[in-house]
Amino acid sequence: MCGICGCGNHDHHHDHDHELPAGTSHLHLRATGITGAQTEEIRQELYGLPGILEVHTHEDSEVIGVSYQNGVTGLTDLIMAFEKRGLKVTI
């Protein structure tokens, strides 16, 4: 089930083009060269931040999707999880 909307879609190409709950955002963060181990470390770290609703990771991709509550966790908090591992992030 989709943790954002509850729609039940497990498709990797699910874009969340429907309305997010009020006060939340969804971002796709690309980290070129990220390894599988780094992806798992970052996923765990992001889930440890306040206000994180869902983290989508794909082993075959350099993209991590994050849904979070606005004003609880900020973009800088998300990016720091990557940068402290020497990864540059694009949105």
Side-chain angles (χ1 to χ4, degrees):
M1 175 182 350
C2 172
I4 303 301
C5 64
C7 70
N9 192 333
H10 290 279
D11 184 352
H12 288 293
H13 302 291
H14 183 51
D15 292 327
H16 297 289
D17 55 354
H18 41 275
E19 191 173 325
L20 293 170
T24 63
S25 293
H26 184 78
L27 293 174
H28 289 106
L29 305 169
R30 178 177 298 278
T32 303
I34 192 170
T35 67
Q38 289 171 320
T39 298
E40 182 58 25
E41 288 174 9
I42 290 170
R43 188 181 76 76
Q44 292 297 323
E45 184 171 340
L46 292 175
Y47 268 126
L49 294 174
I52 296 297
L53 303 174
E54 186 171 29
V55 179
H56 290 290
T57 60
H58 305 284
E59 290 181 27
D60 60 343
S61 176
E62 297 176 332
V63 176
I64 296 177
V66 182
S67 299
Y68 62 98
Q69 295 174 324
N70 299 330
V72 177
T73 296
L75 181 57
T76 302
D77 300 318
L78 302 177
I79 292 173
M80 288 303 297
F82 293 84
E83 287 187 348
K84 70 184 187 182
R85 289 170 176 84
L87 298 166
K88 296 234 181 224
V89 176
T90 57
I91 299 171

